[in-house]
Amino acid sequence: MKINLKSGIDKLLFGMKQNDVTAVLGKPDKNYKDEDDNVIFVYNAHKIRLTFYEEEDLKLGYLVASSNDLEVFGFKLIGRKIADVKKDFAAKGITKYNQETFDTFENYFNEDNWFILQTEFDEVVKFEIGAIINNKDEFDWKFPVKK
């Protein structure tokens, strides 16, 4: 599954509606609402969780994935040492991270591309990516709106 920074993962693009996603991935294994009334789809086989923002007309705005097939710029993420992954990103000009620690987990947040690399025991275990907010303070949706 190819990560498209600022756009989504594989054929999943920020701004898609639930029916657009089910047309691509089929029916989710789980479908529920979170505490903010956002709709969450879970696909076990793809190891991915999708969030459709309630306040944004239920558009896809956030993805959390942990599949071993995840790749960006041709390199894999999951199961690799964070130092090696950061080196690969640095070669593409991505070098700034805010780092937070929670118990045995560490999060490396890159604000420019709105993604988080989550590690445990120095290895990347999860990748999160959100829709970008533009300079007008609005979401920069990537999925074309149907007229």
Side-chain angles (χ1 to χ4, degrees):
M1 293 175 65
K2 185 172 177 247
I3 296 164
N4 303 300
L5 294 179
K6 300 183 180 180
S7 297
I9 295 178
D10 230 34
K11 293 180 176 128
L12 301 174
L13 296 174
F14 294 125
M16 284 179 139
K17 299 291 213 120
Q18 295 169 57
N19 58 341
D20 300 315
V21 169
T22 55
V24 172
L25 293 183
K27 192 172 172 259
D29 295 293
K30 255 187 184 169
N31 174 350
Y32 63 94
K33 287 188 176 186
D34 67 11
E35 64 277 358
D36 297 319
D37 279 336
N38 298 318
V39 172
I40 311 297
F41 276 14
V42 176
Y43 290 92
N44 294 336
H46 298 287
K47 293 188 177 178
I48 194 164
R49 182 177 80 214
L50 292 67
T51 302
F52 299 89
Y53 292 147
E54 194 274 329
E55 291 185 358
E56 293 294 329
D57 199 26
L58 290 174
K59 289 181 180 174
L60 177 61
Y62 203 78
L63 300 162
V64 178
S66 59
S67 170
N68 289 330
D69 297 337
L70 279 179
E71 64 172 59
V72 62
F73 302 123
F75 63 85
K76 301 266 188 204
L77 294 176
I78 305 300
R80 293 185 57 216
K81 294 284 184 199
I82 185 62
D84 295 336
V85 170
K86 284 171 72 178
K87 231 181 269 175
D88 287 341
F89 271 121
K92 299 294 181 183
I94 298 171
T95 56
K96 291 185 192 150
Y97 300 93
N98 294 328
Q99 190 174 339
E100 290 182 301
T101 303
F102 310 92
D103 300 322
T104 59
F105 295 96
E106 292 195 60
N107 283 353
Y108 296 83
F109 173 60
N110 175 270
E111 187 172 3
D112 293 340
N113 295 286
W114 211 264
F115 72 76
I116 295 172
L117 295 164
Q118 186 177 81
T119 65
E120 187 175 34
F121 309 117
D122 245 5
E123 281 186 1
V124 178
V125 294
K126 194 187 291 178
F127 179 80
E128 302 185 22
I129 185 169
I132 298 289
I133 295 177
N134 63 25
N135 54 13
K136 295 180 193 154
D137 209 25
E138 298 168 340
F139 281 103
D140 185 11
W141 300 120
K142 298 303 180 183
F143 191 68
V145 177
K146 295 177 182 115
K147 302 285 178 202

